[in-house]
Amino acid sequence: MIGKYRDQFNSTFSEEKYSSFLKTLESGLTNIPFRVAETPIFIPSDLQKKLVEAGEEIIKLIKQPNFKELTKDSIPANWNVPNENEHPHFLTFDFGICKDPSGHLVPKLIEMQGFPSLYGFQPELGRIYKESYGLASGLTPFFNGINEQSYVDLLKKVVLGNYAPHQVALMDVDAPNQKTAIDFLITQKYLGIKILSLTDIFKEGDALFYEEKGEKVQLRRIYNRLIFDEVTDKTDLFIESFDPRDEIDVEWITHPNWFYRISKYTMPFLKSEFVPETHFLNTLTEIPADLENYVLKPLFSFAGMGVIIDVTKADVTKINDPENWILQRKVVYEPVIQSPDGGVKAEIRLMYLWADGEEPKLCINLARLSRGKMIGVRYNKDFDWVGGTVGLMEG
């Protein structure tokens, strides 16, 4: 979107450079099972300012004293985890890039999460884009004057706290085989922590342990990457390991309840030029006549699963749990990224770190390019110049 960088990038792009970039990205780590886009996004300063402003408006809501009361019904009763802390350690806000009536670029909120994203992978991705394509040294994926070292220092503070790396583990249901395993490995490189699957952990009393070279090591903190949606029908795994819903002597980074509190559930409470009109389905007094301008989303789903894009009245009326759905005005993405054969739509995720005793800090971003009906890798399998990427800004 910054014309001089886009023109230069496109004029010197080649498939050979792209292949070399991917090879470098995976080198010494693991194969990447999701599509990484050919190009970064070059974010202009006016759009950057609007993204920052939009994020600040959302954080104001999250910091309201009554936020927990507002979102008390967001947590499914069967997944309520005890000992919730006062704030999430991670915030991620996804914005579609659109145009306003005056033709200016404007971000529109699509999704939000109180859950970690690719906090290890994104700085590495930005650095390798710059190196592989010979991009200007002043371009950065970071906000607020952060550089790679200060970012890693803050990530350590958030994830490790006062504990040694061996007392902290990144946990997922089957960590080595997750699509995001490359992020896990880079995070381990930065922080020195363990990567554990759920069944690598066992419980004695109310303490959690893992085994290392025949010795048991107590876990004091879990950098949680486990989404409960993924284990709803696999709770037998808890018998082999531990049940997160039990009283256990461990700190969650971040606590699982925040996944639900800061989510699609939060969007109806936001009133902003950057947030599309959103309603809980059970609060509608009448179904809008122009349903073609809305999208229907289940509250408790992940990665776009269950979303109905072309909504009909029948879709709305057949829902038997309307309290678990939202109706949201569609966002019209503008194909603002110029590829060699036309425009591509973009989404930018703002990624915050919130250390204990401090304020949330906007650190880095994640971006996705799309030609399909929905943003997301699974919806763009047959296209090029799509997939995961990062936004670079002039420092």
Side-chain angles (χ1 to χ4, degrees), residues 177-213:
N177 296 309
Q178 290 294 311
K179 287 185 177 180
T180 51
I182 191 166
D183 174 71
F184 298 175
L185 293 168
I186 296 169
T187 301
Q188 184 179 55
K189 181 179 75 171
Y190 284 155
L191 308 184
I193 61 178
K194 297 293 295 183
I195 300 171
L196 299 178
S197 297
L198 180 64
T199 52
D200 293 328
I201 300 170
F202 57 95
K203 183 181 173 187
E204 293 185 2
D206 61 357
L208 299 182
F209 299 87
Y210 67 93
E211 193 170 289
E212 179 81 23
K213 297 179 181 176

Side-chain angles (χ1 to χ4, degrees), residues 325-381:
W325 291 75
I326 57 170
L327 190 68
Q328 179 181 315
R329 183 166 283 278
K330 279 181 180 175
V331 165
V332 180
Y333 291 78
E334 185 70 19
V336 292
I337 309 302
Q338 189 61 44
S339 79
D341 61 349
V344 179
K345 295 176 285 188
E347 193 169 281
I348 296 173
R349 172 176 295 173
L350 300 183
M351 299 166 60
Y352 297 75
L353 290 171
W354 196 343
D356 290 330
E358 298 185 10
E359 293 294 307
K361 189 163 191 176
L362 175 56
C363 295
I364 196 166
N365 74 87
L366 177 155
R368 291 182 290 187
L369 302 182
S370 174
R371 299 179 194 252
K373 258 193 172 183
M374 288 179 67
I375 296 278
V377 174
R378 72 178 68 196
Y379 307 103
N380 286 272
K381 289 180 180 176

Side-chain angles (χ1 to χ4, degrees), residues 1-2 5-11 13-15 17-18 21-22 35-42 122 125-126 129-130 133 135 336-340 342 344-346 367-371 384-392:
M1 287 177 273
I2 303 178
Y5 297 122
R6 173 53 55 211
D7 292 345
Q8 180 183 17
F9 185 95
N10 287 16
S11 66
F13 175 80
S14 69
E15 288 295 334
K17 281 185 180 180
Y18 177 52
F21 156 74
L22 291 176
R35 195 175 200 286
V36 179
E38 285 83 345
T39 179
I41 293 176
F42 302 107
Q122 288 307 112
L125 180 61
Y129 267 126
K130 289 174 63 177
Y133 289 103
L135 302 179
V336 292
I337 309 302
Q338 189 61 44
S339 79
V344 179
K345 295 176 285 188
R368 291 182 290 187
L369 302 182
S370 174
R371 299 179 194 252
D384 61 2
W385 284 64
V386 298
T389 182
V390 68
L392 298 177

Side-chain angles (χ1 to χ4, degrees), residues 4 32 46 64 78 93 109 145 162 184 205 208 223 237 242-243 259 288 294 350 356 374:
K4 64 179 179 181
I32 301 173
D46 56 342
Q64 284 181 190
N78 61 323
F93 307 147
L109 184 67
N162 295 319
F184 298 175
L208 299 182
Y223 176 26
L237 293 172
F242 73 101
D243 191 326
F259 176 80
Y294 289 82
L350 300 183
D356 290 330
M374 288 179 67

Side-chain angles (χ1 to χ4, degrees), residues 32-236:
I32 301 173
F34 54 87
R35 195 175 200 286
V36 179
E38 285 83 345
T39 179
I41 293 176
F42 302 107
I43 302 175
S45 59
D46 56 342
L47 179 59
Q48 179 186 342
K49 288 173 186 172
K50 288 175 185 173
L51 285 163
V52 171
E53 182 184 345
E56 288 174 349
E57 287 187 11
I58 299 168
I59 286 173
K60 281 180 187 174
L61 173 72
I62 294 168
K63 292 180 70 177
Q64 284 181 190
N66 67 336
F67 183 73
K68 283 196 174 185
E69 178 63 24
L70 279 177
T71 57
K72 64 180 175 22
D73 294 329
S74 66
I75 306 165
N78 61 323
W79 288 115
N80 200 332
V81 174
N83 303 316
E84 183 182 324
N85 64 334
E86 288 309 305
H87 65 76
H89 297 91
F90 307 91
L91 294 169
T92 64
F93 307 147
D94 292 354
F95 294 92
I97 305 306
C98 310
K99 276 191 176 176
D100 65 17
S102 302
H104 299 117
L105 295 181
V106 61
K108 292 286 186 178
L109 184 67
I110 304 297
E111 194 83 83
M112 54 196 295
Q113 288 183 332
F115 189 78
S117 185
L118 303 180
Y119 281 84
F121 182 66
Q122 288 307 112
E124 195 89 345
L125 180 61
R127 181 176 59 79
I128 292 173
Y129 267 126
K130 289 174 63 177
E131 291 175 359
S132 297
Y133 289 103
L135 302 179
S137 60
L139 291 170
T140 178
F142 298 106
F143 295 86
N144 292 314
I146 292 171
N147 58 32
E148 188 167 353
Q149 186 57 56
S150 60
Y151 173 79
V152 172
D153 289 345
L154 181 55
L155 189 62
K156 280 182 179 176
K157 182 187 289 188
V158 169
V159 176
L160 296 181
N162 295 319
Y163 294 104
H166 71 274
Q167 296 175 297
V168 182
L170 183 157
M171 182 193 75
D172 207 331
V173 60
D174 181 16
N177 296 309
Q178 290 294 311
K179 287 185 177 180
T180 51
I182 191 166
D183 174 71
F184 298 175
L185 293 168
I186 296 169
T187 301
Q188 184 179 55
K189 181 179 75 171
Y190 284 155
L191 308 184
I193 61 178
K194 297 293 295 183
I195 300 171
L196 299 178
S197 297
L198 180 64
T199 52
D200 293 328
I201 300 170
F202 57 95
K203 183 181 173 187
E204 293 185 2
D206 61 357
L208 299 182
F209 299 87
Y210 67 93
E211 193 170 289
E212 179 81 23
K213 297 179 181 176
E215 300 288 328
K216 66 180 188 183
V217 181
Q218 185 174 358
L219 271 180
R220 305 313 306 246
R221 276 190 164 199
I222 293 177
Y223 176 26
N224 182 46
R225 303 298 291 268
L226 173 65
I227 296 169
F228 289 157
D229 282 13
E230 296 178 355
V231 293
T232 298
D233 58 351
K234 300 176 185 175
T235 52
D236 285 353

